[in-house]
Amino acid sequence: DAGVTQSPTHLIKTRGQQVTLRCSPKSGHDTVSWYQQALGQGPQFIFQYYEEEERQRGNFPDRFSGHQFPNYSSELNVNALLLGDSALYLCASSLQAIQETQYFGPGTRLLVL
Amino acid sequence: AQSVTQLGSHVSVSEGALVLLRCNYSSSVPPYLFWYVQYPNQGLQLLLKYTTGATLVKGINGFEAEFKKSETSFHLTKPSAHMSDAAEYFCAVSAQAGGTSYGKLTFGQGTILTVHP
């Protein structure tokens, strides 16, 4: 049983560019949450997707957007990249009914130059 | 609103010694509480969680934590540290099922645990 997978593992972009990160949830899970973990910090909640809709959102600007596909996989898009967007982006999957049990992927490390 | 404070960004213990990582939380609604571990260049792994019921929660790898509502604390302990326990540990809080922030984890800043031979 594959766990949560994310791609790519590493990414380098320049300021002003756009980036798309991808996440495949654990088999059977229907809910995907995204977190940003800056260096030396705890993860911060970006948003959550269920039934292809954004259900909850953290304190992140509109430059951060997402999508969930019918197969429950998800994308995180960040437009107009800033240096401060450099971070580890973590995807977590769960069942909508049991959101207290979230499984995290290994993350995508984004560096913005 | 919810927040987590982890006391001590770095904790160092000798192998075989007691591990104690401190976590205090703030929540305007009844909380669920979690401890996660993160090894270098990896994602987060759930160690244990408190939802309802017994306030002493046992997790994987010999860790346990006790929910103390009166102290708004959820400290993580392990009787005897192993070298393999060296990692970063995160305490997190969410609302209970049915709450508006259910499923949204709010994390502390993390505590790096070092284990000396």
Side-chain angles (χ1 to χ4, degrees):
Chain A
D1 175 26
V4 179
T5 59
Q6 294 186 241
S7 62
T9 56
H10 294 82
L11 205 50
I12 300 175
K13 294 286 188 178
T14 56
R15 280 180 299 173
Q17 285 189 312
Q18 179 264 344
V19 69
T20 298
L21 310 182
R22 295 176 176 82
C23 172
S24 291
K26 183 177 170 62
S27 179
H29 284 184
D30 56 11
T31 301
V32 173
S33 300
W34 286 92
Y35 293 82
Q36 180 195 66
Q37 185 179 17
L39 198 61
Q41 305 292 319
Q44 285 193 291
F45 177 80
I46 303 174
F47 44 52
Q48 181 190 83
Y49 275 83
Y50 170 64
E51 291 187 328
E52 303 179 47
E53 291 187 8
E54 183 182 292
R55 298 292 177 163
Q56 293 193 70
R57 189 177 183 91
N59 188 25
F60 279 80
D62 291 345
R63 298 187 297 110
F64 289 76
S65 64
H67 189 77
Q68 185 179 35
F69 299 93
N71 67 353
Y72 307 119
S73 67
S74 177
E75 288 182 349
L76 164 65
N77 300 293
V78 186
N79 294 322
L81 284 167
L82 303 174
L83 296 180
D85 295 331
S86 295
L88 179 68
Y89 288 85
L90 296 165
C91 168
S93 76
S94 64
L95 287 169
Q96 180 66 14
I98 318 176
Q99 294 176 54
E100 60 267 31
T101 303
Q102 297 187 22
Y103 292 83
F104 282 80
T108 294
R109 189 164 296 280
L110 172 65
L111 177 61
V112 182
L113 301 176
Chain B
Q2 297 176 311
S3 66
V4 172
T5 301
Q6 292 184 237
L7 301 174
S9 57
H10 290 80
V11 170
S12 181
V13 300
S14 298
E15 193 173 20
L18 171 72
V19 175
L20 171 60
L21 305 183
R22 300 178 187 273
C23 171
N24 287 89
Y25 71 91
S26 173
S27 180
S28 56
V29 297
Y32 286 165
L33 293 158
F34 309 83
W35 276 99
Y36 283 86
V37 61
Q38 186 175 36
Y39 296 99
N41 300 314
Q42 294 188 27
L44 302 175
Q45 181 183 11
L46 180 65
L47 278 177
L48 48 80
K49 63 183 177 184
Y50 166 78
T51 53
T52 56
T55 56
L56 182 62
V57 180
K58 296 187 184 297
I60 61 173
N61 300 337
F63 285 94
E64 64 181 37
E66 186 171 11
F67 170 58
K68 292 187 176 181
K69 183 178 179 180
S70 61
E71 299 177 9
T72 61
S73 69
F74 191 58
H75 301 330
L76 181 70
T77 61
K78 181 174 180 177
S80 177
H82 296 160
M83 297 294 290
S84 60
D85 294 327
E88 189 162 17
Y89 292 79
F90 292 94
C91 181
V93 64
S94 80
Q96 291 188 0
T100 55
S101 295
Y102 175 53
K104 172 188 173 184
L105 296 173
T106 298
F107 288 86
Q109 296 284 80
T111 297
I112 295 173
L113 175 66
T114 302
V115 182
H116 296 287

